[in-house]
Amino acid sequence: LWWKEWERYSKEGRHFSLPSINNDQLLASNRSLALRAGLRFRYDYELLPPLAWSALQGWHDGGPPISRTVAPFHEKGPLSSERKGRSHEIELHPMFITILLSDSSSGGEPRPFQQCFPVSRYLPLRSLLENLCQSLDVDSNDARLWVNHSRAILKLDNNIIQQLKTKKIINGEEDIMNKNVEIVVELKDEEGGWPSSQKEVKYDEKNRHEEQTSPLGVGIVGLHNMGNTCYMNSSIQCLSHTPILRDYFTTKSYLNDINRTNPLGYEGHLAQVSAVLFNTLWRRPNPTRSLSRKKLVSRQHVPLNVPCLTPKTFKDTLGRLNSDFSGNEQHDAQELLNFLLSGLSEDLNRIMEKPYTEAPDSDGRPDKELADIWWSNHLKREMSIIVALFTGQYKSLLTCQTCQYESARFEPFCSIEVPLPEDDQVSVQLVYFSLKENSVATKYSVRARHDGKLFDVLVTLAKVLHGDNDITIPERNDKTSSTQLHNNEHNVDNAELYDTMAKNMTVVRMESGYIANIQPE
């Protein structure tokens, strides 16, 4: 138990290192904040007030935070002596449901808001609505709760179990684990109406034709996360805001280039689902939908009242075409971007039959001529808008160690991995004791190479001391005093001065006020 380690850490004067808080061992394996069954109070876990938890997490980091509410005592089974006489208790095992948000910006359509959100089994739903409205900075009188799909309005004076049983969504509490309950919190629009009641679900052929031929929108459309899909959303936004590629899909020019016979492609499925997504992102919004601007409160997470969609069809198609992206796990955005560019290039490749080409050798030709040959050979096998927009060439040079013959290659690429530079310096803290009378110990922190020696650290310290004009060097065999060095500084090279200062220093390890040993150079 981390709490026991912290108590020991506090009492023993912090003579040992304390790890970060780790609450993962308390959680079940369903990726929510549900606790494991059979946990024992004060043995497996400890209850803390919010301020105490915030302080501990700020000091020692870690988590995740597991918050629970106080609910009326629920009698179930025989009462123990500890529970008799209690009217309230901590609800350790609440329900975990999905919260959707419906407002005027989404046209009444529910969109993801909170996943695996804890809801009390025993408190009335009014407390849930007030909690959600507080996070949204709206009045709870301007909101309501209903069950997704069934559209059943929930009463606020009953708890969620009673409501789900009444609506015949579950038969008992045992069904909760097998049901994915989705509750929608709906906000009134500026006119005081419910957006879901005013949603238009039918369009005649005239309106549909006008929508398809209308000018593009501004493209400021958000993408909801479906788990850990931020890598996909960021890649989609980058491609969507590439002007030529956007126009290529929104004007349906891609239909002339779909290659359904390319064995390296996906029969045009990736191109088609990408075109649908691009057209959705850049579709002109419904002019009848009012987008009001709400005043944001500092340090609050309030959904912006702008169009937003969930790219579920695109994500499902992506998972079918590449099993690496089938789940909702976190992935590298560059890996997805490389897959999209490569797949789109093959789906939109104008070359139906790729000829065989040989990689040309340099043979002493200039780089420009050789690069043009490599590029011409590449266009014989792959010609698409992806090649035109996102493909370049990089030069690689191979030199024979025997005859020094050089062979150059200009291979095409869509992205280049740039490694982060590694820091070859480390920080070393030292306490400097000067030989001057009435001098005080001074603590310094210097940086030296991680593969350097202790002498290199002393040379770096000498540079700092020289800058502070605190040169105190004891006499050695060369009979050169620090005063003479200081007076004749203009005649001595700085490097020699630092080396001399470093040689007149000694690093010792102190223990309880005495020198334990002298460190070797």
Side-chain angles (χ1 to χ4, degrees), residues 468-516:
D468 292 344
N469 295 323
D470 188 8
I471 307 176
T472 305
I473 305 177
E475 295 185 2
R476 288 175 63 106
N477 295 332
D478 55 7
K479 304 299 181 182
T480 304
S481 66
S482 60
T483 305
Q484 292 172 338
L485 284 174
H486 182 67
N487 293 335
N488 301 315
E489 179 182 345
H490 60 280
N491 296 324
V492 181
D493 184 75
N494 282 343
E496 297 180 0
L497 173 62
Y498 300 146
D499 288 346
T500 304
M501 294 175 62
K503 291 177 181 178
N504 285 277
M505 296 182 195
T506 303
V507 178
V508 299
R509 184 166 62 89
M510 302 292 294
E511 288 187 1
S512 301
Y514 66 92
I515 297 177

Side-chain angles (χ1 to χ4, degrees), residues 383-452:
M383 182 181 295
S384 67
I385 190 171
I386 303 300
V387 174
L389 294 179
F390 301 103
T391 305
Q393 290 176 284
Y394 65 83
K395 176 183 177 181
S396 61
L397 190 64
L398 182 63
T399 304
C400 178
Q401 298 296 329
T402 303
C403 63
Q404 303 301 316
Y405 176 78
E406 294 182 347
S407 176
R409 300 169 63 91
F410 289 86
E411 299 182 6
F413 71 93
C414 282
S415 64
I416 297 180
E417 296 182 1
V418 181
L420 295 175
E422 296 183 359
D423 190 3
D424 59 351
Q425 302 282 323
V426 295
S427 297
V428 181
Q429 292 187 352
L430 302 169
V431 180
Y432 175 67
F433 292 88
S434 176
L435 294 182
K436 286 183 178 181
E437 295 183 0
N438 301 326
S439 61
V440 295
T442 307
K443 187 175 183 179
Y444 287 91
S445 179
V446 298
R447 291 179 58 80
R449 289 185 56 86
H450 63 86
D451 57 349

Side-chain angles (χ1 to χ4, degrees), residues 101-114:
L101 178 63
S102 173
D103 57 6
S104 59
S105 64
S106 63
E109 283 290 342
R111 64 177 191 262
F113 180 53
Q114 297 281 355

Side-chain angles (χ1 to χ4, degrees), residues 52-277:
W53 163 257
S54 300
L56 288 176
Q57 190 182 35
W59 293 336
H60 305 287
D61 204 2
I66 305 174
S67 60
R68 292 294 184 264
T69 58
V70 178
F73 181 75
H74 180 68
E75 297 183 5
K76 188 175 182 181
L79 296 180
S80 62
S81 58
E82 296 180 355
R83 291 189 172 185
K84 288 182 178 180
R86 294 187 180 181
S87 59
H88 292 78
E89 64 177 351
I90 302 294
E91 186 177 356
L92 296 179
H93 300 282
M95 282 186 60
F96 287 89
I97 64 176
T98 299
I99 303 293
L100 306 177
L101 178 63
S102 173
D103 57 6
S104 59
S105 64
S106 63
E109 283 290 342
R111 64 177 191 262
F113 180 53
Q114 297 281 355
Q115 292 182 340
C116 296
F117 191 80
V119 179
S120 173
R121 300 169 186 258
Y122 313 118
L123 291 177
L125 285 175
R126 189 177 304 278
S127 62
L128 171 62
L129 182 62
E130 291 176 351
N131 186 14
L132 294 173
C133 290
Q134 183 179 4
S135 64
L136 293 168
D137 190 32
V138 296
D139 191 349
S140 60
N141 295 323
D142 296 331
R144 66 179 179 178
L145 298 175
W146 44 274
V147 182
N148 196 23
H149 303 304
S150 67
R151 300 277 177 174
I153 306 297
L154 297 176
K155 297 181 180 179
L156 302 181
D157 295 331
N158 298 331
N159 60 49
I160 190 170
I161 300 295
Q162 295 172 341
Q163 290 288 297
L164 296 180
K165 287 181 180 179
T166 303
K167 308 298 181 183
K168 296 182 179 181
I169 299 175
I170 62 173
N171 296 324
E173 295 190 23
E174 295 77 10
D175 293 345
I176 296 177
M177 301 300 297
N178 302 323
K179 293 283 187 178
N180 182 20
V181 181
E182 294 183 347
I183 302 297
V184 181
V185 52
E186 184 177 9
L187 308 180
K188 289 183 178 180
D189 55 22
E190 292 182 341
E191 298 177 355
W194 299 111
S196 61
S197 302
Q198 304 172 4
K199 183 180 59 175
E200 295 181 1
V201 294
K202 294 183 179 180
Y203 296 93
D204 54 23
E205 292 299 326
K206 178 180 179 180
N207 291 336
R208 189 174 304 223
H209 176 71
E210 290 178 354
E211 181 180 356
Q212 294 177 351
T213 58
S214 62
L216 294 177
V218 295
I220 304 179
V221 179
L223 296 173
H224 290 295
N225 269 350
M226 296 173 288
N228 295 322
T229 59
C230 53
Y231 70 95
M232 181 186 72
N233 296 345
S234 59
S235 301
I236 292 174
Q237 295 286 14
C238 289
L239 294 177
S240 171
H241 285 81
T242 303
I244 298 179
L245 185 65
R246 174 204 63 199
D247 297 339
Y248 178 77
F249 281 116
T250 55
T251 59
K252 304 189 185 317
S253 300
Y254 73 97
L255 295 175
N256 300 322
D257 297 333
I258 291 184
N259 190 337
R260 303 184 185 277
T261 61
N262 187 355
L264 300 179
Y266 301 98
E267 299 180 353
H269 295 306
L270 184 59
Q272 287 180 331
V273 73
S274 300
V276 172
L277 181 59

